[in-house]
Amino acid sequence: TQFTDTDRNGMSDYAKFIAGLNPTNPASRFEFTGQTLGSNRLVQIEWTVVTNRLYQVSASTNLVSWLPVTGWLQASDNPSMSCIVTNSGSSLHFYRVQVQP
């Protein structure tokens, strides 16, 4: 359900189902695995993926309003995916990745 966390790793069983993960295995998780800040205001982020899932990166300056910075990206057989985005303006930006089945 949306409210259970069978493996007690902080991600609900429902969220794991959507992400294509195993809700009974605490090592099965969706997470950021790296980031690189370039001198030219470029940010590269990397996260774990599940084959044939769709992922979208969004950005926010206030953690309330989110705007997509990519379209929906199709995962391949690689265990991770990365994206390079421009950190424009003088505000601090936060990034999140959403997943669809």
Side-chain angles (χ1 to χ4, degrees):
T1 72
Q2 292 182 4
F3 307 106
T4 57
D5 180 8
T6 302
D7 62 12
R8 298 184 177 162
N9 73 346
M11 189 174 188
S12 76
D13 292 348
Y14 179 75
K16 280 195 157 189
F17 169 74
I18 294 297
L21 302 171
N22 180 347
T24 62
N25 181 353
S28 178
R29 56 184 173 229
F30 176 58
E31 64 185 349
F32 282 101
T33 56
Q35 72 277 339
T36 305
L37 303 174
S39 60
N40 51 0
R41 304 186 69 83
L42 295 179
V43 178
Q44 179 176 353
I45 56 176
E46 185 175 329
W47 62 95
T48 58
V49 298
V50 172
T51 303
N52 296 325
R53 289 291 199 256
L54 297 171
Y55 297 86
Q56 184 178 57
V57 179
S58 297
S60 175
T61 57
N62 60 14
L63 296 172
V64 175
S65 301
W66 293 89
L67 295 173
V69 294
T70 69
W72 287 99
L73 308 169
Q74 178 75 49
S76 63
D77 290 335
N78 294 328
S80 65
M81 181 180 278
S82 67
C83 174
I84 298 174
V85 295
T86 302
N87 196 8
S88 59
S90 59
S91 299
L92 179 65
H93 285 78
F94 302 93
Y95 296 96
R96 74 177 182 186
V97 177
Q98 294 176 275
V99 59
Q100 281 187 351

